[in-house]
Amino acid sequence: QQQHSKQQRPSAISTSPTMHRRTAASSTSSKVSASRERRARRGGGKANGGGIRNANGHLHLPTHHSSRHPKDDNGLMGMGKRIIVLMIGLVFVCFVLIWAAALFHVASNSEDGGGDNGKRGKLLGRVKNGLGRMRNGKSKYQSEPIVAPRAADDGSPYTLEALDNNPYLGWQPPLVPSPLGASFSWRECFKADPTSDGTDQPAGCRENPSELGVAPSVEKGWVPDVTMIRTMMMHGKDVNGNPFPPPLSTELCEPIGVTGGKHGDSNKECLEQSMIRPTGALNSTTVTIRPSNHYGAEDSKNGDEDSIVVPAPRLMCLVYTMADAHANRIRAMRETWAGGCDGFLAFSTESDPRLPVVSLEHEGPE
């Protein structure tokens, strides 16, 4: 028995570790499984790829509900609110536009006296037809035609009949300001070549051809309106209500040389030595005659006591020029002294009803 026991001991000793390992493995597997279950509960059922494995290693996937996430509902609600706000904004804009249109309609009726809508339509039709005959469209520089003249009131000369006869009555070129603003000096305009057509002149000099635009074409037998400038000056405004003649800087009254210097102004010296004095405003219908207005006469010691006031004579002023001088020289005359003449007309190589300028046909070179 002892020998048999001794022979059995090694077998018992060799068997004991195997059973111990199996028992430990089973205990470890149970602990791991329990740990996995606890982690799965804490992680919202997303452990092990979103499932829970049991003690046998089988994967149990979590149950998914068909309802949307609360965030999705919040997104849809936010989009719906934005759509509602956008619709309210569109309704408000439409309401403002309708309100503005109603105010414009009421103001137009009150201005026209409530019964001149037909006349306004007739006026626009006549002006549009007249401008259509005169527009040629050969250049990007197009003059701005009269398309909506204001109603004739307060003694305005721009009546239906007057604009029908001359669609450019009351027209003047746009004033393009200098980018230098208040620091702009008119002396810069005298530095250009005297023979230049004005294309090299800076903005503010009122001499660039692009500001005047292309001359509208005229029909054969066209008769210029020589009283146009005088009519505009007597009214003091153009058809759009802007001042006419346009205001000028007092810097132009200073001595200005040929190239813009402060010396060598022979024109100003000539006027001063010839004793030429103004006899009244350009839009005056009377003139004041003084003995000192004559060449060689001395200023009267009695002041205005020796002067007399008489009706202004009627003057017709005519000049001869070239087409390349329309945008600078003729425009300068138009915006200064031309309105003091009862009639003003320039003869040139090209007609322009806005200035007015008429072309003279002749044989041979100019």
Side-chain angles (χ1 to χ4, degrees):
Q1 289 179 352
Q2 291 178 355
Q3 187 176 0
H4 180 74
S5 298
K6 292 180 180 179
Q7 291 178 354
Q8 292 296 327
R9 283 177 184 173
S11 174
I13 293 173
S14 61
T15 305
S16 178
T18 302
M19 295 177 63
H20 179 72
R21 285 193 297 270
R22 288 178 179 176
T23 303
S26 177
S27 176
T28 303
S29 175
S30 299
K31 292 181 180 180
V32 170
S33 177
S35 176
R36 288 177 177 175
E37 290 178 359
R38 288 194 299 271
R39 288 198 300 270
R41 293 190 186 97
R42 289 194 300 267
K46 294 185 179 180
N48 298 325
I52 302 176
R53 296 182 182 274
N54 56 17
N56 297 326
H58 297 290
L59 179 65
H60 294 278
L61 297 176
T63 303
H64 296 280
H65 299 283
S66 60
S67 60
R68 293 190 301 271
H69 196 274
K71 292 184 178 179
D72 297 336
D73 295 337
N74 294 336
L76 293 176
M77 291 177 63
M79 183 178 297
K81 291 181 179 179
R82 287 193 292 269
I83 294 176
I84 293 175
V85 172
L86 180 59
M87 293 178 64
I88 294 175
L90 292 176
V91 172
F92 177 78
V93 171
C94 294
F95 175 80
V96 171
L97 293 177
I98 295 173
W99 176 71
L103 287 181
F104 177 78
H105 179 71
V106 173
S108 301
N109 289 340
S110 61
E111 183 177 71
D112 295 339
D116 293 338
N117 292 332
K119 293 183 179 180
R120 288 177 62 88
K122 186 177 181 180
L123 167 62
L124 294 177
R126 289 180 176 179
V127 174
K128 188 173 181 180
N129 294 335
L131 295 178
R133 295 192 301 266
M134 297 185 177
R135 195 178 296 120
N136 54 13
K138 296 181 179 179
S139 171
K140 64 180 181 179
Y141 299 120
Q142 292 292 334
S143 60
E144 299 181 3
I146 302 171
V147 295
R150 62 190 182 94
D153 56 358
D154 299 333
S156 173
Y158 310 124
T159 61
L160 300 176
E161 182 179 0
L163 290 175
D164 187 28
N165 295 329
N166 181 10
Y168 289 100
L169 176 64
W171 174 90
Q172 66 172 329
L175 297 180
V176 179
S178 171
L180 301 178
S183 61
F184 170 75
S185 175
W186 283 87
R187 298 182 185 275
E188 297 295 326
C189 306
F190 290 82
K191 296 181 180 180
D193 185 357
T195 61
S196 171
D197 61 352
T199 54
D200 56 346
Q201 290 286 50
C205 295
R206 307 182 188 178
E207 293 187 2
N208 199 303
S210 62
E211 300 176 10
L212 187 64
V214 177
S217 59
V218 296
E219 298 177 349
K220 187 176 181 180
W222 166 72
V223 177
D225 181 8
V226 297
T227 64
M228 177 171 61
I229 309 302
R230 178 65 175 178
T231 300
M232 294 173 60
M233 173 165 283
M234 295 299 293
H235 185 58
K237 297 179 181 179
D238 63 9
V239 73
N240 296 318
N242 301 315
F244 184 85
L248 294 171
S249 173
T250 56
E251 183 183 17
L252 294 173
C253 298
E254 302 174 359
I256 301 179
V258 177
T259 58
K262 296 184 178 181
H263 304 284
D265 191 346
S266 57
N267 292 324
K268 187 176 179 62
E269 294 174 359
C270 180
L271 290 174
E272 291 177 349
Q273 294 180 8
S274 61
M275 300 298 291
I276 297 178
R277 300 289 185 270
T279 59
L282 289 176
N283 58 352
S284 176
T285 57
T286 61
V287 294
T288 302
I289 300 177
R290 299 181 179 88
S292 59
N293 285 347
H294 299 80
Y295 177 74
E298 297 180 357
D299 291 338
S300 175
K301 297 180 181 180
N302 298 327
D304 292 339
E305 295 181 3
D306 296 336
S307 63
I308 58 174
V309 178
V310 297
R314 295 179 59 83
L315 300 177
M316 177 67 183
C317 302
L318 305 172
V319 297
Y320 184 77
T321 184
M322 304 281 285
D324 57 1
H326 291 180
N328 43 41
R329 294 171 179 83
I330 300 302
R331 178 179 177 179
M333 298 177 190
R334 191 180 192 272
E335 297 180 353
T336 52
W337 58 262
C341 308
D342 296 279
F344 174 84
L345 179 63
F347 299 102
S348 182
T349 57
E350 180 181 338
S351 297
D352 192 337
R354 305 168 300 175
L355 299 178
V357 176
V358 62
S359 175
L360 292 181
E361 298 182 1
H362 57 82
E363 297 181 358
E366 183 64 36

